[in-house]
Each structure stands twice: as C-alpha cells, then as structure tokens.
Amino acid sequence: MFRTYQALKRNGVIGINERNVRFVNSLNARKFLIRVDDKELTKLLAKDAGIPTPELYGVIKNARDMRRLAEFIDHSDGFVIKPAMGSQGKGIMVVDGPLKGGWRLSSGRRTDLEAMKYQINNMLSGMYSLGGQPDKALIEYRVKFDDVFGQVSYKGVPDIRVIVLKGVPVFAMLRLPTAESDGKANLHKGGVGAGIDLATGRTKRAMQHDQFVEIHPDTGYPLEDIQTPYWGDILLMAAKSYEMTELGYVGVDIVLDRDKGPLLLELNARPGISIQIANRVGLRFVLDKAEALGREARTPEERVEIAKTLC
C-alpha cells in the first residue's frame, strides 16, 4: 500500500511538507503556540477548561526555587520531573518512590537528590527545550498505570494520541512502551503505535519503527481489538482542546490513571504523521471531511458525535 508515491496518494497519505503548509502553518496562529509549547501554561488553561491533568507539585525556574526541591518531591508514591518546553520525551525523569536513602527511577535504577538537581539544571539551561531557550522544570504527579493495557506494555505508561482539526477528533492511536523505548511511549524511541477506531475506541492495527506488527515485541500479546476505557471522555477532552488553545490542528496526548481516569498529559502543535501507518490509512480524506464542515459553531459534544462518523 505504501510502496509508491501514487499508492500513497491514492490512500490519502500526507507528508511532512503538506502537514506543515496546509495544517500547522495555516491553522495554528503563532501567537497561540505558547499555549501548548509551555506545559505549565497548558495546565493552567486546562484547569480553566475543566480538563483534568496530572497535579503540579512545583515549578523550578532558578536557584532560589531549587531550595524547595526536597519539598516538591516529598511524595512517597513518586513524581515526575520534566522540562516545561521539552519535546519527544527528552530529559524527563520518572521517579517511582523512595529507595534506600535515594529514589528509584521507573527504569529500576537508583538516583539521589544531587543527580536530580543536575538534571534540573540541564533543563533550566535549555538542553531539552524547543529552540534551546532557557526553560523551567515542572514537578508533577506520577500517573499510576491502568492495568487495562498491562499485557501490551513494558513498564512505563501508555498514552493515547488524538489528532484534532478545528475541534473535531479525526485520528487516534494508542502508544505503548517497550523495552527498546526504555518504558517510554515515544514512537521514535521504539514504542509501538496501535490505530484506534474513532467510533468504538477499539485498537485496529499496530506498527513499530514504521513496520506493521501484530503482537507486542516484549510481551507477545496481540495488539488488535483492545477496548480503550473512557473512550467517550477521551474524545470529549480532545475536542475541548480547541476552545482551550484556539489552535486548529493539534495532537492531544491523554493517559489513563487507575485512580483518576483520563488525564491530559500534553498538547502538540506539530503532531507527527506516523499515526497514518498505525491506522493503515492516510489522514487526507478524513481531514478533508472535517474541513468541509465549515465554520458553523458546534459544541465539543456535537463535534465528538461527528468524529465517530468520519472514518
């Protein structure tokens, strides 16, 4: 299906250039990009919009804030330290809990307070930020893995990526951590992506490194026909991101917490296009349908119902 340019075109596959010119650049006003690029601001906007996110324990912007690090990380059930302006999961520390005078990372390795300060200073210097600009570090609630995806994940926390055009969810994918990705759900690190049927929330097909796969590489469990819990809530959260950001084309990343349900993890104004491979169908036809809906005002609930009919 993906062998030649003509085959790609017939199947509605879009490339990076088309994504950038037709959707990212034309639908995402530059003045609003900060709303998704700065994860602290995203949390504040989400709170106003009634969209749940992982609780923020503290923000470190300078040496004075660093003195409060021990206070911010005083959580026996773990925490996450991440750069506010980071991307692709770079620089993130996931801490499971205390371990013999130090802390245990999600990878199983031990770390201590000095190592955390070193990593935070790297974040502040801009090592992981978009464009290398000085950044801040966020300390937040560590999501507790919902066992529903336990058989198709290797450590880490799976997430659900939903592409949204003008408030209408158009494509979705379940991203699963692997041993190769070191427990992270990022596809470019070796995570698995499984396409999701918008109408039902069930996984359809899957891929790793842009190659089709039928089973998880570490657990051996089938990846197809898995029901995503809270599917209606997830679609509604994704649809509400439109009013929240005023961006016309975004990727919405949502995680499932076993106690708190779906939580908005972050937004991306330049979502990747590998989601097409996971779904084994191109984005263009669905995006065309969503654009053809015009400028008529609709509620997020109405847009979710439309989304279920697009594919």
Side-chain angles (χ1 to χ4, degrees), residues 4 112 198 202:
T4 67
D112 57 27
L198 280 182
R202 302 190 78 84

Side-chain angles (χ1 to χ4, degrees), residues 81-311:
I81 304 175
K82 61 169 53 173
M85 303 280 283
S87 65
Q88 299 184 327
K90 295 176 182 176
I92 295 176
M93 293 184 75
V94 181
V95 180
D96 284 348
L99 177 65
K100 296 181 179 177
W103 296 88
R104 183 180 59 254
L105 298 173
S106 61
S107 62
R109 292 186 290 113
R110 182 181 179 279
T111 190
D112 57 27
L113 195 61
E114 290 306 310
M116 290 183 203
K117 290 180 179 178
Y118 179 79
Q119 182 72 346
I120 291 171
N121 279 322
N122 285 337
M123 294 178 193
L124 301 185
S125 72
M127 180 178 290
Y128 308 110
S129 69
L130 295 166
Q133 298 300 310
D135 201 358
K136 51 194 172 185
L138 310 183
I139 295 97
E140 68 178 21
Y141 170 81
R142 179 179 67 84
V143 174
K144 309 304 184 294
F145 181 30
D146 190 315
D147 288 338
V148 66
F149 299 127
Q151 294 181 330
V152 288
S153 296
Y154 179 85
K155 297 184 176 178
V157 178
D159 69 17
I160 297 117
R161 159 66 60 87
V162 183
I163 303 290
V164 180
L165 181 93
K166 296 181 181 177
V168 180
V170 292
F171 253 52
M173 169 175 63
L174 173 64
R175 301 191 299 188
L176 300 162
T178 64
E180 180 182 345
S181 69
D182 193 27
K184 294 183 172 61
N186 302 81
L187 300 186
H188 69 281
K189 292 181 179 293
V192 168
I196 300 178
D197 180 80
L198 280 182
T200 65
R202 302 190 78 84
T203 57
K204 298 185 293 185
R205 304 166 185 91
M207 62 90 177
Q208 183 185 32
H209 294 304
D210 293 343
Q211 301 295 316
F212 301 138
V213 294
E214 295 182 351
I215 60 173
H216 191 279
D218 302 308
T219 69
Y221 278 89
L223 295 161
E224 193 170 338
D225 204 30
I226 302 170
Q227 179 63 51
T228 306
Y230 304 102
W231 185 238
D233 294 335
I234 290 170
L235 287 179
L236 186 58
M237 290 166 66
K240 287 181 175 179
S241 69
Y242 184 45
E243 284 81 3
M244 171 184 150
T245 65
E246 298 185 68
L247 295 173
Y249 188 73
V250 293
V252 181
D253 296 342
I254 294 171
V255 292
L256 294 180
D257 185 274
R258 69 183 180 216
D259 300 321
K260 301 175 184 295
L263 301 172
L264 173 65
L265 194 61
E266 61 182 47
L267 300 170
N268 191 322
R270 310 160 193 83
I273 57 176
S274 293
I275 195 171
Q276 300 174 108
I277 302 175
N279 282 275
R280 298 195 190 186
V281 64
L283 275 161
R284 181 178 296 115
F285 302 139
V286 178
L287 292 173
D288 287 346
K289 290 179 184 177
E291 279 202 310
L293 294 172
R295 298 176 178 273
E296 180 181 343
R298 297 179 174 87
T299 66
E301 289 80 4
E302 289 172 333
R303 298 197 298 268
V304 166
E305 292 307 309
I306 291 172
K308 293 177 180 178
T309 68
L310 288 179
C311 291

Side-chain angles (χ1 to χ4, degrees), residues 9-154:
K9 190 174 181 179
R10 280 198 303 274
N11 284 284
V13 176
I14 68 169
I16 287 292
N17 289 339
E18 181 176 357
R19 181 205 67 171
N20 290 342
V21 173
R22 184 180 169 192
F23 302 107
V24 174
N25 295 344
S26 64
L27 299 179
N28 292 345
R30 290 180 62 85
K31 64 181 179 181
F32 296 141
L33 292 179
I34 190 66
R35 296 177 178 179
V36 301
D37 289 344
D38 183 337
K39 295 176 180 59
E40 183 187 12
L41 179 56
T42 300
K43 282 180 178 291
L44 294 173
L45 293 172
K47 183 179 180 180
D48 292 341
I51 300 174
T53 65
E55 180 183 354
L56 184 63
Y57 294 151
V59 180
I60 295 179
K61 301 177 182 177
N62 48 45
R64 184 178 60 186
D65 296 335
M66 189 75 87
R67 297 176 194 150
R68 300 184 61 191
L69 177 59
E71 169 194 342
F72 292 153
I73 65 174
D74 185 20
H75 297 276
S76 59
D77 60 347
F79 51 88
V80 174
I81 304 175
K82 61 169 53 173
M85 303 280 283
S87 65
Q88 299 184 327
K90 295 176 182 176
I92 295 176
M93 293 184 75
V94 181
V95 180
D96 284 348
L99 177 65
K100 296 181 179 177
W103 296 88
R104 183 180 59 254
L105 298 173
S106 61
S107 62
R109 292 186 290 113
R110 182 181 179 279
T111 190
D112 57 27
L113 195 61
E114 290 306 310
M116 290 183 203
K117 290 180 179 178
Y118 179 79
Q119 182 72 346
I120 291 171
N121 279 322
N122 285 337
M123 294 178 193
L124 301 185
S125 72
M127 180 178 290
Y128 308 110
S129 69
L130 295 166
Q133 298 300 310
D135 201 358
K136 51 194 172 185
L138 310 183
I139 295 97
E140 68 178 21
Y141 170 81
R142 179 179 67 84
V143 174
K144 309 304 184 294
F145 181 30
D146 190 315
D147 288 338
V148 66
F149 299 127
Q151 294 181 330
V152 288
S153 296
Y154 179 85

